[in-house]
Each structure stands twice: as structure tokens, then as C-alpha cells.
Amino acid sequence: MVELIRRVIPRDIVGGNVQKLRRMDAAVHIFYEIAGTSAAFCTSLALIPALGTNYSFIITPILFTMAAVTWFFVSNLDFKPTKRTLLADQPTYIRALLGSFWLFFRSVYVGMKIVFTSRKFIWLLPAYSVALYAHRYLENGIAPVIARRYLGNSAWSQIMVGGSNFGELLGALFVFLFTNVVRTPIPWLRLDALCLLIVWYLAYWFPPMGEVRYAWMVAGTFIPISFGWAAGDVSLAAYIQASLARLESGHDDVSALGAVMAFLYVTYIVTYAITNPLLGAHVDKIFRRTGGDVHEAVRNIAGVQFTVVAIVVIAATFIPRGAFSLNPKMLENEELDLDLKDSEGGSEDGTRNGDYDGVDLGKEKDQEKVLTSFVAT
């Protein structure tokens, strides 16, 4: 939920100008990674050595409580929610129980239709969801294997995650400072894909057990990988927000931006949920077969897998129109550096009437009537 919120809210704060969105997204990501980097190093160097693996989690509810209190002081920017028509004549508990589930699945469905029915958006699936999966697997799948099986200390995986987070901070900072130099996410995505190939060295690396300095070496090699991903992620998020801001219609319950981001994020979650246990079982199988050597498994889960991801992401960057140059100035012949009220084809408030780029919402209206009738019976 928090991830989706930070992908959708910036458009409501600064509008549809992609330069403003890049700065906004980069600023949020910088603070996000300052917290992530400091937390990773604090956990690996202080909390786990002092409290142990289990008791170190005591900090989590404390910080969650502080975050919840902070959220109470966030302004709603005079936002006036529209009155929902879904199950409007039903009791409140019915609307809360069924309405939320219905809107979630409909958002994912509408987002899927928007992505798969337009060349303008089809490339976002590999560029966003697959790239995000690779980054998460780097931190949550590969780093623990290296720390536990190569170095003999699971806690040192947080040092590697800290290096990865620091790389993300640098990538977001670079986008914030040089937002006009690279005007589309295409170069960053290609850099991200190429940097993924750095992990190949792990399959042929034999560090001695029990020396923490080698965990810091891995953290250093994770910095350029996460630098490329963060720069691409920030730039791509701004592009999605600016592009879909020009597709919003007057529909009450589903927005184009929210629907597409929901679909892309659900795709990442499902992909990770399926592949992570399968790859983990593969590592365990190699570990048992070789008597403790997981280099063959690391070659497969890191080198081979990330090479496939790199090929897929690079191929996706050539799908949108105008993306064949090294540093494209514009994609799909669409000028996104203007505020919504100044762009062509939009209304005074920056919205466009009609369908979602050819997506017919009539079927969603019919399905809503079916749900209402079902609850009424």
C-alpha cells in the first residue's frame, strides 16, 4: 500500500509535468534511501550483534508507531473525494468488505487492459515489474545466500543491503540534480540492465569464511547495480505518472494511474512469490548435493537469471516510438515537460474525457451492476 501511495500521490501534488515529477520522486527516494541505508547498517552492525537475530526486531513496532503518529499530521491538500457509486445503497460494512475487494481487482483488470492494448504502455511491464523484481531479489535472495554460504554470517547480508541502498541514494540524487540531461527513462533502464551483469563475478569468487571486509566488498559492487536501478525507477515512475495523467477520465472509482501502478506492482509481487521459493529450493538442492558449495547455484540464480532479465529489459526499451537513439528527447512524440493545462488534448483541469486510450469501460459498468444485484439478493 505504501509503495503504491508514493507512486500515485506525486502526480496530485505537482501535476503532470515530468520534470517536476522527476524531482519530486527523486527527493522522496533520497529520503527513503537515507532511512534504508542507515537502518541496514544499524541492524547489521549494532542491533543483531547486541540483541541477536530475534530480539533485534523489537525496533520494528516502535518505528511503525512513530510513522503512524507522523501520518496523522499529513495534510490532505484540500482533497475532496468523489462519492462512490459502487454499492451505494448497501450498508457500510458491505461497502467496506466487498467494495474494496471489487475495486482492487477491477483496478488491476483495467490496468492490465491499458498496458496490454497499447504499444505506448506495453513495455512498462518488463521495464518496471521485471526490473523491480531483479532489484528485490538482489537484496532479499542473493545477498543472504552470499552472507550465509560464502561468509558464514547471515547478519552481514544487511551490510550488502546497505551498500545497495546507498547506490539507490546516489542514483536518485543524480536524477534530482541532472533531471534535464536525461529526459526519458530509456538510458537509465539500459544502464540498469547492463549493471546487472556485475553479479557474474559472485559465481567464481571464493572469499574466506568469517571476514567481514568481504561483505563490504560485495556491498561496494552492489552500489553501481542499485545506482542504475534507482535512476531508472525514479525516471520511469515520473514518466508513468506524467503519461497517465493525460489519460485520466471522469470515471468515479478507477483512475488510469492507480490502475496501471496496481497492475505493475501486483505483477512484481506474484513473480517474486513464485520464483523466490523455487530458486531457494534450487540453492538448497545444490547445497546438499555438493556438501556445502553453492557456487553453481549462485551462477544460476544470479548470473544466468540476471542475464535473462537484462536482455528482457533492454529489448523492452526499444518498443516505444522514438526510443532507438542513445538518449531520446521524447517518447511517442509526446511532450511531457508541460503542465497539464498547457498540454494539447486536455481539459482545463488537465483531464481527458473518454476511454483509457481505447479501453472500453462499459464492461466494467456492467460488472458493477451485476455485483450490486448479487449483493441485493
Side-chain angles (χ1 to χ4, degrees), residues 15 50 56-57 69 114 131 165 181 212 261 264-265 279 281-282 360:
S56 62
F57 282 100
V69 172
I114 294 174
N165 290 338
V181 176
V212 68
M261 292 309 304
L264 294 176
Y265 203 72
L279 294 176
H282 174 70
D360 183 12

Side-chain angles (χ1 to χ4, degrees), residues 69-91:
V69 172
T70 303
W71 275 41
F72 278 103
F73 296 94
V74 176
S75 170
N76 61 3
L77 295 175
D78 298 322
F79 173 72
K80 296 179 177 60
T82 58
K83 186 177 180 180
R84 289 185 176 180
T85 59
L86 179 65
L87 304 176
D89 56 342
Q90 300 300 321

Side-chain angles (χ1 to χ4, degrees), residues 258-374:
V260 169
M261 292 309 304
F263 170 67
L264 294 176
Y265 203 72
V266 165
T267 301
Y268 145 69
I269 292 174
V270 172
T271 303
Y272 189 88
I274 294 174
T275 59
N276 188 48
L278 294 177
L279 294 176
H282 174 70
V283 174
D284 292 338
K285 180 180 177 181
I286 299 296
F287 178 80
R288 290 191 300 267
R289 192 188 72 193
T290 60
D293 186 7
V294 295
H295 283 80
E296 179 183 347
V298 170
R299 182 193 64 193
N300 295 332
I301 69 172
V304 175
Q305 180 184 208
F306 278 20
T307 298
V308 174
V309 170
I311 293 173
V312 170
V313 172
I314 289 177
T317 62
F318 291 98
I319 294 177
R321 298 176 182 88
F324 276 84
S325 61
L326 184 63
N327 184 16
K329 302 299 183 184
M330 187 185 307
L331 298 178
E332 300 290 339
N333 295 318
E334 186 176 26
E335 180 60 61
L336 299 178
D337 291 340
L338 302 174
D339 292 326
L340 285 177
K341 64 181 180 180
D342 299 326
S343 61
E344 297 181 0
S347 60
E348 188 64 27
D349 62 352
T351 61
R352 176 182 296 176
N353 298 323
D355 299 334
Y356 293 136
D357 196 24
V359 178
D360 183 12
L361 293 177
K363 294 181 180 179
E364 279 75 23
K365 287 289 188 180
D366 294 338
Q367 295 167 353
E368 178 180 321
K369 294 178 182 178
V370 171
L371 177 64
T372 305
S373 302
F374 171 76

Side-chain angles (χ1 to χ4, degrees), residues 155-331:
W156 292 347
S157 66
Q158 291 302 309
I159 295 178
M160 304 173 194
V161 172
S164 175
N165 290 338
F166 183 67
E168 290 185 53
L169 192 156
L170 295 179
L173 181 62
F174 194 93
V175 172
F176 182 84
L177 295 176
F178 303 100
T179 184
N180 293 326
V181 176
V182 182
R183 302 181 63 180
T184 68
I186 298 299
W188 294 123
L189 292 171
R190 292 168 181 166
L191 175 64
D192 176 31
L194 294 175
C195 286
L196 288 176
L197 302 180
I198 294 175
V199 298
W200 269 105
Y201 86 91
L202 293 171
Y204 306 98
W205 186 50
F206 294 85
M209 297 278 285
E211 296 191 22
V212 68
R213 63 192 181 101
Y214 291 101
W216 288 100
M217 290 176 59
V218 177
T221 61
F222 279 9
I223 290 177
I225 300 175
S226 294
F227 175 94
W229 176 82
D233 180 72
V234 168
S235 185
L236 184 61
Y239 173 82
I240 295 172
Q241 292 160 359
S243 297
L244 291 171
R246 289 156 173 79
L247 292 179
E248 297 288 354
S249 76
H251 196 264
D252 293 336
D253 297 327
V254 178
S255 72
L257 176 58
V260 169
M261 292 309 304
F263 170 67
L264 294 176
Y265 203 72
V266 165
T267 301
Y268 145 69
I269 292 174
V270 172
T271 303
Y272 189 88
I274 294 174
T275 59
N276 188 48
L278 294 177
L279 294 176
H282 174 70
V283 174
D284 292 338
K285 180 180 177 181
I286 299 296
F287 178 80
R288 290 191 300 267
R289 192 188 72 193
T290 60
D293 186 7
V294 295
H295 283 80
E296 179 183 347
V298 170
R299 182 193 64 193
N300 295 332
I301 69 172
V304 175
Q305 180 184 208
F306 278 20
T307 298
V308 174
V309 170
I311 293 173
V312 170
V313 172
I314 289 177
T317 62
F318 291 98
I319 294 177
R321 298 176 182 88
F324 276 84
S325 61
L326 184 63
N327 184 16
K329 302 299 183 184
M330 187 185 307
L331 298 178

